[in-house]
C-alpha cells in the first residue's frame, strides 16, 4: 500500500472519531459502510445506524477526543487517543477498511490516571514513526515477547528483550525500567492480584510501533489488553497500555466477539 493511500485511510479514521465530538454525521455517512459495519464494542449495538443515532447523546455529554498516534497496517488503522467524558480516559480504536470504507471497529478504554510511578502520562512520548523497513521484524519480535513473557511461555527470557534498565513505562501503575516492572510484579503478588494473558488476537504495526490486542484474566475476570510497544535498536524501549474488563453476556448490546 502506497503512502498516499495510507494517509487517506488515517484521515478517514480520524474524521470518524472526531465526528463523535462534533456531532456532524458527514464523516460517518461517507466513510463507514452502511450495511457491513461490525461493532466489537459490546456496549454498543451493531451497525452504522447505531453510531449515527448516538451522535446527539455524545454531543450532549460534551465528549472530547484528542488523537495522539496513528498506525496503518494494511487495511487496519489504529488510533491512540485521549477521550474526555465523565472524566479523562485513554483509548485505542482500530478500524478495518474494505475498498476505502470502514467495515469493522474494535476499541479499548481506561480511566486516565494522572499521577503515575514513572512520572509519565499514559499517552505522552514519541509520535513520529521510524524504521518503516523494520515493521515485519518488529511485529514478530513484539509478538514473541508477549508470548514468552505476558502469556508465560518462557519468562526466563525477560531481560533479553530490553537494553538493560532503559525502558520507558506509561502503564499508570508501573515505574520505568525492568526494575520498575519487577517491583510492580512483587506488589501484585503481595496484594494477591493475578493477571494472566491467555491469547493474542491481533498484532498491528508500523515501523517502530507495534500494538498487540490480547485476551486474558485479572483475578479470574475476563479482560482485554491493548499494549503498544516502541522498538529501538532491536529492543523494547517504551510501552503504553489500556486494559478494559469484558462485559458479561447479559450486558452486551451486540453478539459479536470482543476481539
Amino acid at each position: 500500500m502506497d503512502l498516499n493511500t495510507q494517509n487517506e485511510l488515517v484521515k478517514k479514521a480520524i474524521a470518524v472519531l472526531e465526528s463523535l465530538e462534533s456531532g456532524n454525521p458527514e464523516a460517518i455517512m461517507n466513510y463507514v459502510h452502511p450495511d457491513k459495519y461490525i461493532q466489537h464494542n459490546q456496549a454498543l449495538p451493531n451497525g452504522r445506524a447505531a453510531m449515527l443515532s448516538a451522535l446527539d447523546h455524545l454531543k450532549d455529554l460534551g465528549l472530547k477526543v484528542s488523537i495522539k498516534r496513528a498506525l496503518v497496517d494494511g487495511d487496519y488503522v489504529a488510533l491512540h487517543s485521549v477521550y474526555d467524558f465523565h472524566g479523562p480516559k485513554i483509548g485505542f480504536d482500530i478500524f478495518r477498511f474494505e475498498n476505502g470504507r470502514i467495515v469493522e471497529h474494535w476499541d479499548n478504554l481506561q480511566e486516565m490516571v494522572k499521577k503515575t510511578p514513572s512520572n509519565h502520562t499514559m499517552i505522552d512520548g514519541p509520535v513520529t514513526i521510524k524504521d518503516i523497513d523494520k515493521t515485519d521484524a518488529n511485529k514478530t519480535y513484539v509478538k514473541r515477547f508477549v508470548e514468552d513473557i505476558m502469556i508465560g511461555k518462557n519468562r526466563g527470557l525477560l531481560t533479553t528483550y530490553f537494553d538493560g534498565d532503559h525502558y520507558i513505562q506509561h502503564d499508570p501503575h508501573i515505574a520505568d525500567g525492568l526494575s520498575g516492572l519487577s517491583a510492580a510484579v512483587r506488589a501484585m503478588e503481595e496484594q494477591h492480584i493475578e493477571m494472566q494473558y491467555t491469547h493474542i488476537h491481533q498484532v498491528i504495526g508500523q515501523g517502530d510501533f507495534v500494538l498487540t490486542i490480547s485476551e486474558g484474566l485479572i483475578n479470574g475476570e475476563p479482560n482485554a489488553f491493548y499494549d503498544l510497544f516502541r522498538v529501538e535498536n532491536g529492543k523494547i524501549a517504551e510501552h503504553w497500555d489500556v486494559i478494559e474488563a469484558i462485559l458479561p453476556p447479559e450486558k452486551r448490546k451486540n453478539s459479536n466477539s470482543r476481539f
Side-chain angles (χ1 to χ4, degrees), residues 143-159:
K143 183 174 185 287
R144 193 164 66 241
F145 168 78
V146 174
E147 290 172 342
D148 281 342
I149 308 306
M150 309 306 291
I151 292 177
K153 289 185 176 180
N154 196 340
R155 290 196 169 119
L157 295 176
L158 174 63
T159 58

Side-chain angles (χ1 to χ4, degrees), residues 111-132:
E111 297 282 344
M112 186 174 185
V113 176
K114 293 185 178 180
K115 180 64 177 175
T116 68
S118 67
N119 293 317
H120 307 297
T121 75
M122 292 176 67
I123 201 162
D124 65 354
V127 298
T128 303
I129 295 169
K130 303 176 181 178
D131 301 331
I132 292 295

Side-chain angles (χ1 to χ4, degrees), residues 54 86 131 135 166 208 210:
H86 304 305
D131 301 331
T135 297
H166 301 291
D208 54 340
V210 180

Side-chain angles (χ1 to χ4, degrees), residues 213-254:
I213 296 89
S214 306
E215 184 174 1
L217 302 167
I218 298 179
N219 288 344
E221 296 298 322
N223 276 259
F225 301 95
Y226 281 47
D227 292 275
L228 178 65
F229 300 89
R230 184 175 63 82
V231 181
E232 186 176 272
N233 298 322
K235 300 289 183 180
I236 293 173
E238 199 158 2
H239 170 252
W240 301 257
D241 64 351
V242 167
I243 302 171
E244 184 177 6
I246 297 174
L247 289 175
E250 64 273 13
K251 293 186 177 181
R252 298 174 188 173
K253 294 186 178 180
N254 69 63

Side-chain angles (χ1 to χ4, degrees), residues 1-255:
M1 182 181 294
D2 62 52
L3 184 59
N4 288 337
T5 303
Q6 289 182 337
N7 290 339
E8 189 65 25
L9 295 185
V10 170
K11 287 178 182 178
K12 289 178 178 180
I14 288 174
V16 167
L17 212 58
E18 289 181 341
S19 71
L20 304 182
E21 175 179 331
S22 69
N24 186 337
E26 183 177 354
I28 296 173
M29 293 295 292
N30 289 339
Y31 305 140
V32 177
H33 198 287
D35 306 314
K36 295 175 64 175
Y37 182 68
I38 302 169
Q39 177 63 263
H40 292 274
N41 182 326
Q42 294 173 326
L44 301 172
N46 204 41
R48 188 180 77 171
M51 182 188 293
L52 289 167
S53 66
L55 287 179
D56 287 344
H57 175 64
L58 293 174
K59 190 174 182 182
D60 289 344
L61 280 179
L63 181 143
K64 304 291 182 186
V65 59
S66 175
I67 296 148
K68 184 75 170 180
R69 293 177 183 84
L71 310 179
V72 186
D73 188 346
D75 294 324
Y76 293 83
V77 173
L79 302 179
H80 190 197
S81 310
V82 180
Y83 282 88
D84 198 340
F85 63 100
H86 304 305
K89 298 170 176 62
I90 304 298
F92 283 105
D93 289 90
I94 300 170
F95 298 95
R96 183 174 68 84
F97 286 79
E98 280 184 6
N99 300 318
R101 276 188 159 179
I102 295 169
V103 295
E104 202 160 4
H105 170 255
W106 301 258
D107 66 354
N108 228 37
L109 200 65
Q110 182 177 343
E111 297 282 344
M112 186 174 185
V113 176
K114 293 185 178 180
K115 180 64 177 175
T116 68
S118 67
N119 293 317
H120 307 297
T121 75
M122 292 176 67
I123 201 162
D124 65 354
V127 298
T128 303
I129 295 169
K130 303 176 181 178
D131 301 331
I132 292 295
D133 59 317
K134 298 178 181 177
T135 297
D136 290 342
N138 288 340
K139 287 174 64 177
T140 298
Y141 186 73
V142 166
K143 183 174 185 287
R144 193 164 66 241
F145 168 78
V146 174
E147 290 172 342
D148 281 342
I149 308 306
M150 309 306 291
I151 292 177
K153 289 185 176 180
N154 196 340
R155 290 196 169 119
L157 295 176
L158 174 63
T159 58
T160 68
Y161 285 98
F162 299 91
D163 179 15
D165 207 35
H166 301 291
Y167 173 48
I168 301 170
Q169 178 64 262
H170 296 271
D171 182 290
H173 307 297
I174 305 176
D176 279 343
L178 273 178
S179 54
L181 185 58
S182 298
V185 170
R186 288 195 299 272
M188 288 176 65
E189 291 173 348
E190 290 170 0
Q191 297 170 43
H192 305 290
I193 299 172
E194 184 180 357
M195 181 182 292
Q196 180 186 5
Y197 283 54
T198 57
H199 184 71
I200 303 174
H201 287 274
Q202 292 191 64
V203 180
I204 294 171
Q206 186 179 19
D208 54 340
F209 285 92
V210 180
L211 174 66
T212 62
I213 296 89
S214 306
E215 184 174 1
L217 302 167
I218 298 179
N219 288 344
E221 296 298 322
N223 276 259
F225 301 95
Y226 281 47
D227 292 275
L228 178 65
F229 300 89
R230 184 175 63 82
V231 181
E232 186 176 272
N233 298 322
K235 300 289 183 180
I236 293 173
E238 199 158 2
H239 170 252
W240 301 257
D241 64 351
V242 167
I243 302 171
E244 184 177 6
I246 297 174
L247 289 175
E250 64 273 13
K251 293 186 177 181
R252 298 174 188 173
K253 294 186 178 180
N254 69 63
S255 59

